[in-house]
Amino acid sequence: TGATPLFYMVNCAHPSHVLPTLRDGESRGDDWLGRFRGFRANASRKSHAELDECPDLDRGSPVALAREVAEMKRTFDLRVVGGCCGTDAEHIEAIAASV
């Protein structure tokens, strides 16, 4: 039917894993950035491979995560933000307070 998605988003990644790609796209003037509107953050800076090997959940730093999500929201005009693996109420409260 030719229908296209309203927007794109990234799920279950740490901002430190996504920001370099977003910044590269921005510097090139990539059109897809105009439809990138959402991000659900993984709390850990570890790669998914590292997390698969961890005996315990790495919850990272709620304050640092919130700061980076807020930067992404402002810089890339995100409409949907939230938390995924490793986040809890403390992370979500910090994100909500920072955006």
Side-chain angles (χ1 to χ4, degrees), residues 24-98:
D24 287 347
E26 184 178 45
S27 70
R28 290 188 304 263
D30 290 354
D31 291 340
W32 62 267
L33 279 174
R35 294 183 63 198
F36 178 70
R37 291 286 176 253
F39 182 71
R40 286 185 57 207
N42 184 313
S44 178
R45 289 182 174 276
K46 293 182 179 182
S47 71
H48 286 166
E50 290 172 312
L51 290 170
D52 286 346
E53 299 298 321
C54 284
D56 299 312
L57 185 63
D58 177 18
R59 69 185 303 267
S61 165
V63 172
L65 179 67
R67 184 176 51 248
E68 291 179 62
V69 169
E71 176 188 348
M72 287 178 64
K73 183 181 185 309
R74 282 189 305 274
T75 304
F76 299 100
D77 193 28
L78 301 184
R79 307 290 165 78
V80 178
V81 296
C84 197
C85 295
T87 62
D88 57 23
E90 184 180 2
H91 293 84
I92 300 305
E93 288 170 6
I95 290 169
S98 69

Side-chain angles (χ1 to χ4, degrees), residues 10-26:
V10 171
N11 184 48
C12 203
H14 192 274
S16 64
H17 300 161
V18 178
L19 271 169
T21 300
L22 295 176
R23 288 183 180 129
D24 287 347
E26 184 178 45

